[in-house]
Amino acid sequence: MSILPFEPDGLFNVLNWTPFIKMQDWMEENMIILDGGDQGAFSTWRMPHMERIFQEIDKLTTIQITLMSASQVGKTLMLVSALLKRLDTDPDNTILMFPKGNQLKRLYDTKVKIYVNGCDTINSKLENYEDEAKNNHQSSYSKKIAGAVWSIVDTTNVKSTSAKTLGCDEVADFPVSKAGQAMERLKSYEGKGELAFFTSTQHPEEEEMMK
């Protein structure tokens, strides 16, 4: 009879357990900001408004985060970084979705690649995958890291592969029901640490209506 309180496979899993890394710690260790007024190693003291969002991402009970704010406050940085951190520490299928009509290759190069290039731990592991976006009008653009597929898509490709992590940028510009359909991509990971992160820009007229 075994004296271990668990099976040998369980012992193997415990010995190979990776400690949980907080979002803020991961950002400060791995992210270099290459553009804008806060260039250099990421530091929360320069962007203190992000700390509360990081705390929500760290909670195991958090399934969805919706961030609506004015322009130029780092929404895309928070969104992309949340995806990169999960791809680095818990690699699994991931979707980043943009509104229909946007040119995905251009968006990746201008809104996403700047953060990937500033994160050596991701940039060194990222591989091109099936569609290398031969033109700017494809509805999907994919990368691969540690066996996980990271798909960059628009809302015409909302029924793409299942994913553990979903990021939707400028979700207010999505056609009606598309955000809900995108959430369906997480169903096969239900109860297994799935996360959806939505961002949207709050325009001045909307701010006036909320006063």
Side-chain angles (χ1 to χ4, degrees):
M1 181 176 66
S2 172
I3 62 172
L4 296 174
F6 35 69
E7 296 299 317
D9 284 347
L11 174 61
F12 178 82
N13 289 335
V14 169
L15 294 177
N16 285 272
W17 173 71
T18 301
F20 179 78
I21 302 173
K22 291 183 178 181
M23 183 72 198
Q24 180 176 330
D25 294 341
W26 185 89
M27 288 280 290
E28 294 183 344
E29 181 177 344
N30 294 288
M31 291 297 295
I32 305 293
I33 309 301
L34 302 177
D35 193 21
D38 293 302
Q39 294 184 40
F42 176 85
S43 178
T44 308
W45 73 264
R46 291 156 72 183
M47 301 181 183
H49 60 285
M50 294 187 179
E51 187 171 357
R52 177 64 188 276
I53 303 298
F54 294 159
Q55 292 171 358
E56 292 301 318
I57 293 172
D58 288 340
K59 292 179 181 178
L60 297 178
T61 54
T62 299
I63 296 174
Q64 180 178 333
I65 293 174
T66 302
L67 177 61
M68 176 178 278
S69 69
S71 300
Q72 306 302 316
V73 297
K75 293 190 303 298
T76 304
L77 170 61
M78 282 187 274
L79 170 63
V80 174
S81 297
L83 270 55
L84 296 182
K85 189 257 186 180
R86 287 167 70 92
L87 281 166
D88 180 39
T89 60
D90 183 23
D92 216 316
N93 289 350
T94 299
I95 296 173
L96 174 58
M97 186 173 293
F98 292 102
K100 178 183 176 181
N102 283 306
Q103 299 177 341
L104 290 179
K105 180 63 166 59
R106 179 182 59 80
L107 278 174
Y108 179 82
D109 287 342
T110 58
K111 295 190 72 173
V112 180
K113 193 174 182 180
I114 188 72
Y115 301 122
V116 173
N117 287 346
C119 182
D120 285 343
T121 187
I122 289 290
N123 203 23
S124 62
K125 294 186 269 186
L126 207 58
E127 306 169 21
N128 288 331
Y129 186 57
E130 23 182 59
D131 1 341
E132 174 54 29
K134 296 176 183 176
N135 59 68
N136 280 332
H137 302 286
Q138 289 183 237
S139 62
S140 66
Y141 178 57
S142 301
K143 299 283 186 177
K144 198 171 187 179
I145 181 169
V149 176
W150 179 20
S151 300
I152 297 94
V153 303
D154 68 20
T155 52
T156 64
N157 202 19
V158 70
K159 295 183 178 180
S160 54
T161 184
S162 296
K164 186 173 184 177
T165 308
L166 168 69
C168 293
D169 192 42
E170 299 298 351
V171 71
D173 295 331
F174 281 25
V176 176
S177 81
K178 290 297 184 179
Q181 290 178 28
M183 286 289 289
E184 295 289 317
R185 301 301 92 213
L186 300 176
K187 272 201 166 180
S188 60
Y189 288 90
E190 189 171 354
K192 299 176 182 178
E194 74 276 21
L195 176 68
F197 196 139
F198 296 164
T199 69
S200 186
T201 300
Q202 187 170 346
H203 301 290
E205 60 271 19
E206 294 171 333
E207 294 178 10
E208 287 296 322
M209 291 175 63
M210 295 178 69
K211 288 181 179 179

